[in-house]
Amino acid sequence: MPAPPTKRTFLGRLSLPERRYVADALRAETVGGVLLLVAAVAALVWANAPASESYETVRNFHIGPASLGLDLSIQHWAADGLLAIFFFVAGIELKRELVAGELRDPKAAALPVIAAVCGMAAPALVYALTNVIGGGSLDGWAVPTATDIAFALAVLAVIGTSLPSALRAFLLTLAVVDDLFAILIIAVFFTSDLNFAALGGAFVGLAVFWLLLRKGVRGWYVYVPLALVIWGLMYNSGVHATIAGVAMGLMLRCTRHEGEEHSPGEHIEHLVRPLSAGLAVPLFALFSAGVSVSGKSLGDVFTQPVTLGVVLGLVVGKALGIFGGTWLAARFTRAELNKDLAWGDVFAVATLAGIGFTVSLLIAELAFEGDAATTAEVKAAVLIGSGLAAVLATVLLKLRVRKYQALLADEERDEDEDGIPDIYEQDNPEYHLRMAEIYEKKAAEHRERAQLAGASRDGGDSPA
């Protein structure tokens, strides 16, 4: 008889290198997420202050060489220029996941990919149904499909919830796949009339970029000017300029050769991520999140089909899509949930993924380009929907915070102080010998203390 198919563990323990990579990546994203929150709040305060005209003046100030087609407003420089850095890092993350991370094994990748796809399809469907029933516009169907990993991690940092590494890795993988489909949506649905000469020039630049990488040419002074040329050509081609960043990120090698501590892609990501998370994304938020907020405008968000569709897509569609996709994928792939976790934990993370800030704001600008009033309303809906998702996720995660803290403490315990968590050394005889030596020393100390305590007590009980 053939052996029954083995069951895989979903949200099981990560390998040590993968755990370290996830921890480093999320640490940088958390810091960037806090800056993103600060920038978003600053934008809202500035846009609603008595001097709100100055916000519009700065945001709409044009700068750049008109002869190159780059006479852009500050807001466009942030959305088309700075976000190219964000998508460059996203491209590197995607490449690494495909060749060395969770997505390299098709069987293991099936579950997070299905979860991410369902987590984008469900919000789009919720938005479409809301607007079909309410007679609204379908142009914004893609707005609630994105997840902002930095904002989500900032929420985790603020509420003080330490997720186990498996849940954090699942959230990161979801965000990476989410970014991939967001890139495809931007490239396919928000490409204007093509300038084939500029597009051809961009492809030639990308080919040169790829060739230099394969030849092992090094030096930022070679790649940065070339990247700027590629970006400028891509912008003028009619394809959204951030696609240039993604393409260059995907070209970097993310596998390690013998003797390498880090691959070139990992090294460059380590250098560029602080620039993306600490400068590019917060500045984009500063010049995109500033919308006028009043009691009437907040009420309109829940009465107009376009804005209500965005809110429901982020809060309801994301949670149900990711959770439902994950549950179905696990059922049909015979994957067993980690015995230390529950399906409620998956739902909480799915709810947290409803925080769609950066890319959602970008798609809102693209979807309703030329309609400033609707764009502002949709941006307000993104902020409200993301806020509601954050509050709901906070409540759900706080219900299990003690369990998460205990699991994280087990993962990080290093009693032999060799820099490797004990949980990864259970099959190493040397680890057990070191622990035996440590416990023998402790036992000897306690025996000595017991003798001293006994002698002290006997001396105290004897007559003077």
Side-chain angles (χ1 to χ4, degrees):
M1 293 179 60
T6 57
K7 290 188 176 183
R8 293 181 298 102
T9 301
F10 169 51
L11 295 179
R13 186 193 311 163
L14 301 177
S15 66
L16 185 57
E18 187 69 12
R19 182 182 183 277
R20 286 173 172 168
Y21 170 80
V22 169
D24 291 342
L26 295 187
R27 191 178 298 115
E29 291 284 7
T30 301
V31 174
V34 173
L35 294 175
L36 179 62
L37 278 172
V38 172
V41 172
L44 287 170
V45 171
W46 191 3
N48 291 276
S52 59
E53 296 83 2
S54 63
Y55 179 76
E56 292 297 328
T57 301
V58 172
R59 184 162 67 172
N60 295 324
F61 181 77
H62 277 65
I63 189 173
S67 59
L68 298 178
L70 297 175
D71 182 20
L72 310 178
S73 66
I74 297 297
Q75 183 180 4
H76 275 105
W77 276 112
D80 295 319
L82 292 178
L83 276 195
I85 301 174
F86 166 79
F87 279 106
F88 174 69
V89 174
I92 299 175
E93 288 178 337
L94 177 60
K95 178 68 174 290
R96 188 198 169 278
E97 287 292 319
L98 289 171
V99 300
E102 291 293 298
L103 302 180
R104 70 185 184 279
D105 179 6
K107 291 182 179 180
L111 204 149
V113 169
I114 292 172
V117 171
C118 293
M120 298 189 79
L125 182 60
V126 168
Y127 176 92
L129 288 174
T130 304
N131 282 270
V132 167
I133 294 171
S137 170
L138 295 178
D139 291 345
W141 65 270
V143 174
T145 60
T147 294
D148 193 316
I149 182 67
F151 214 137
L153 292 171
V155 170
L156 289 177
V158 169
I159 66 177
T161 298
S162 299
L163 291 181
S165 59
L167 283 175
R168 287 180 288 165
F170 180 60
L171 183 61
L172 179 61
T173 305
L174 277 177
V176 170
V177 180
D178 195 291
D179 286 341
L180 168 63
F181 285 101
I183 292 161
L184 293 175
I185 288 173
I186 291 171
V188 174
F189 294 99
F190 299 105
T191 294
S192 57
D193 295 334
L194 292 177
N195 180 333
F196 288 99
L199 185 61
F203 278 120
V204 170
L206 288 171
V208 173
F209 189 89
W210 179 85
L211 186 61
L212 292 175
L213 289 172
R214 292 302 171 269
K215 294 294 183 182
V217 176
R218 297 187 178 185
W220 65 267
Y221 46 84
V222 174
Y223 290 101
V224 171
L226 178 58
L228 292 174
V229 171
I230 294 170
W231 175 86
L233 289 168
M234 190 70 76
Y235 177 84
N236 282 285
S237 72
V239 177
H240 199 269
T242 53
I243 303 300
V246 178
M248 287 183 279
L250 287 170
M251 289 182 182
L252 295 176
R253 176 169 61 83
C254 292
T255 53
R256 300 177 189 178
H257 289 170
E258 187 176 352
E260 287 184 339
E261 185 176 354
H262 301 288
S263 68
E266 290 173 326
H267 176 67
I268 294 173
E269 180 190 4
H270 179 73
L271 296 175
V272 179
R273 187 186 288 276
L275 178 63
S276 169
L279 181 67
V281 175
L283 281 178
F284 168 76
L286 180 64
F287 293 112
S288 291
V291 293
S292 180
V293 177
S294 64
K296 182 179 182 304
S297 64
L298 291 177
D300 289 344
V301 166
F302 296 97
T303 57
Q304 297 181 11
V306 170
T307 49
L308 180 60
V310 170
V311 173
L312 292 178
L314 288 171
V315 179
V316 179
K318 269 289 182 184
L320 295 181
I322 291 175
F323 178 79
T326 304
W327 187 84
L328 288 172
R331 182 174 180 83
F332 287 106
T333 59
R334 299 181 61 82
E336 287 185 337
L337 184 67
N338 185 340
K339 60 181 178 60
D340 293 324
L341 298 172
W343 281 108
D345 302 317
V346 179
F347 185 77
V349 171
T351 305
L352 188 66
I355 300 174
F357 188 80
T358 304
V359 180
S360 290
L361 290 177
L362 175 62
I363 294 177
E365 294 179 358
L366 298 174
F368 298 99
E369 190 174 7
D371 188 346
T374 304
T375 300
E377 292 169 355
V378 172
K379 285 184 177 181
V382 170
L383 296 176
I384 292 172
S386 298
L388 290 175
V391 170
L392 180 57
T394 297
V395 173
L396 294 175
L397 292 171
K398 279 294 186 182
L399 294 175
R400 295 268 289 171
V401 66
R402 291 184 179 178
K403 179 68 174 179
Y404 297 152
Q405 290 173 343
L407 290 174
L408 193 62
D410 288 339
E411 290 180 4
E412 296 180 344
R413 185 175 292 109
D414 183 18
E415 293 188 359
D416 61 341
E417 298 181 350
D418 65 343
I420 300 175
D422 296 341
I423 199 169
Y424 291 96
E425 297 190 283
Q426 297 305 306
D427 296 329
N428 183 1
E430 295 180 359
Y431 160 76
H432 293 288
L433 291 174
R434 287 195 300 271
M435 291 304 300
E437 184 179 350
I438 290 171
Y439 285 129
E440 286 169 0
K441 288 182 179 179
K442 288 183 178 180
E445 290 175 2
H446 284 290
R447 279 193 291 269
E448 183 177 351
R449 289 181 182 180
Q451 292 173 355
L452 291 173
S456 175
R457 185 182 60 187
D458 293 342
D461 291 341
S462 60

